Structures are given as C-alpha cells and as structure tokens.
C-alpha cells in the first residue's frame, strides 16, 4: 500500500501541468494573440510591404518616369544630381513645376526611419500610394515630399514643388496629392522582386 502525502501529490500535479502546458505552446514563428484575441503578424505592421519592388533594378533615377508620363506631366528635361544620402537623383523643372525623384537603396532603413521622424506621431506612415506605405514630409503651400517604401530596406522620395507660373493651376493646389500621383507613376515603372 502506498501512502501519498499532500506535498508529493502537489509536486506530481505541478509536473503534469507543466508538461501538459508545454505541449500546448505554439510553434516558433506563430503569431501571438493580442488582448482582444486577434493575431499579430507582419500583415498588421503598417510598414509591411506585401509586394516588394526592386528599386535597385532601375539604375538611372531619370528612368523612373517614362517619356509618356513626363510629357503628360509637362515636366521638361531631366537634370541628374545627388541626394542627401549620396545616391543619384533626378530633377525636372520648368516655370510650372519642379519634380525631384531620389531613390534610396543604400541606407537599408526602408520607410521605418521616416515614419518615426515625420509619420503619424506613432511611428507609422501618414499616407499610402497605390497600396504602398508612404510619409508626407516638408509640406508647405507650394511643395510636398512623399517618401514611399518599396521594400523593407528601400524607398524613394518624390518632391513636388509648384513653379511661379503653376500657382494658378488647380491641379497643383494640393502639392501632396501631386507628389502622391507622381509617386504612383513611379511605382508602375519599378519591377516586382
């Protein structure tokens, strides 16, 4: 006859519960449920990009807009330059407008840094262009910059500025809408990864 003490029974019960609970743990990489029962995942990350683009595939930023798109925008002739992060950029300017496009494939930050710096105040994008997260920056009455994330590590900037003769153009009244529109055209020209 075996006599069980309360302490021995509690130890065995605790061991069985531990083994049983360990068997119920989710496999590594499984999204953890949140307080309201919804699973967190990369898809819930406002900076997550479902369909990354290969911005590196376009070596010359002046090729990020097609000749037909440039004609439609009445953008003029391109001027090559260098961005503040040391990468090639392209600018089109005339009396109506100024468009600057600067890809960033070198810093490896993607849109995360800009979202923290100038996003919605919570480190999230404050805009979206054709399903891609974006951040408006440097907004004034006649200009706006739109940073668009194309992958976790790459982005491009479209800066739109109204020229002296473009101030009466109702299409330019919202410079962020123009920057977003141009960014959408750029996205059409970048191949998928």
């Amino acid at each position: 006859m075996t006599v069980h003490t309360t302490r021995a029974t509690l130890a065995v019960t605790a061991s069985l519960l531990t083994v049983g609970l360990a068997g119920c743990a989710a496999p590594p990489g499984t999204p953890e449920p949140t307080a309201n029962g919804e699973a967190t995942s990369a898809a819930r990350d406002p900076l997550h990009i479902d369909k990354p683009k290969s911005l590196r595939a376009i070596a010359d930023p002046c090729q990020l807009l097609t000749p037909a798109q440039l004609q439609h925008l009445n953008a003029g002739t391109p001027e090559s330059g260098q961005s503040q992060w040391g990468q090639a950029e392209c600018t089109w300017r005339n009396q109506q407008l100024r468009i600057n496009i600067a890809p960033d494939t070198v810093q490896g930050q993607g849109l995360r840094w800009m979202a923290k710096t100038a996003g919605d105040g919570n480190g999230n994008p404050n805009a979206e262009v054709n399903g891609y997260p974006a951040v408006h920056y440097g907004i004034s009455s006649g200009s706006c910059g739109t940073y668009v994330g194309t992958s976790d590590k790459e982005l491009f900037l479209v800066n739109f500025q109204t020229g002296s003769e473009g101030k009466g153009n109702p299409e330019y009244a919202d410079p962020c809408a123009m920057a977003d529109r141009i960014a959408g055209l750029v996205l059409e020209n970048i191949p998928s990864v």
Side-chain angles (χ1 to χ4, degrees):
M1 174 174 162
T2 307
V3 178
H4 297 285
T5 64
T6 306
R7 184 177 296 168
T9 304
L10 287 174
V12 170
T13 305
S15 295
L16 290 173
L17 280 174
T18 302
V19 170
L21 289 176
C24 293
T30 302
E32 293 291 326
T34 60
N36 63 4
E38 294 179 20
T40 59
S41 67
R44 289 216 170 289
D45 178 359
L47 294 166
H48 176 72
I49 297 169
D50 288 328
K51 298 176 184 176
K53 299 271 190 174
S54 179
L55 192 53
R56 289 181 188 270
I58 311 291
D60 179 1
C62 293
Q63 301 299 312
L64 287 168
L65 291 172
T66 67
Q69 290 169 332
L70 291 166
Q71 184 177 7
H72 182 72
L73 292 167
N74 191 26
T77 56
E79 299 171 25
S80 296
Q82 191 172 31
S83 68
Q84 60 189 2
W85 44 86
Q87 195 166 350
E89 67 178 9
C90 194
T91 303
W92 295 264
R93 79 178 91 220
N94 57 36
Q95 298 299 315
Q96 295 288 316
L97 54 79
R98 179 182 179 276
I99 299 169
N100 174 264
I101 300 177
D104 178 2
T105 62
V106 296
Q107 295 186 97
Q109 298 279 329
L111 194 62
R112 200 160 297 282
W113 175 253
M114 279 311 298
K116 286 181 184 177
T117 304
D120 69 355
N122 294 316
N124 298 316
N126 59 13
E128 185 178 285
V129 176
N130 296 0
Y132 288 81
V135 173
H136 290 151
Y137 183 75
I139 304 166
S140 71
S141 62
S143 68
C144 181
T146 299
Y147 286 85
V148 180
T150 56
S151 74
D152 291 339
K153 298 190 181 281
E154 298 179 351
L155 64 80
F156 66 88
L157 164 65
V158 171
N159 193 316
F160 174 81
Q161 185 173 8
T162 305
S164 59
E165 292 179 15
K167 294 190 187 297
N169 186 335
E171 191 175 30
Y172 302 165
D174 182 351
C176 287
M178 268 309 286
D180 289 356
R181 179 175 152 217
I182 296 164
L185 296 173
V186 170
L187 282 168
E188 291 174 10
N189 301 322
I190 303 172
S192 296
V193 172

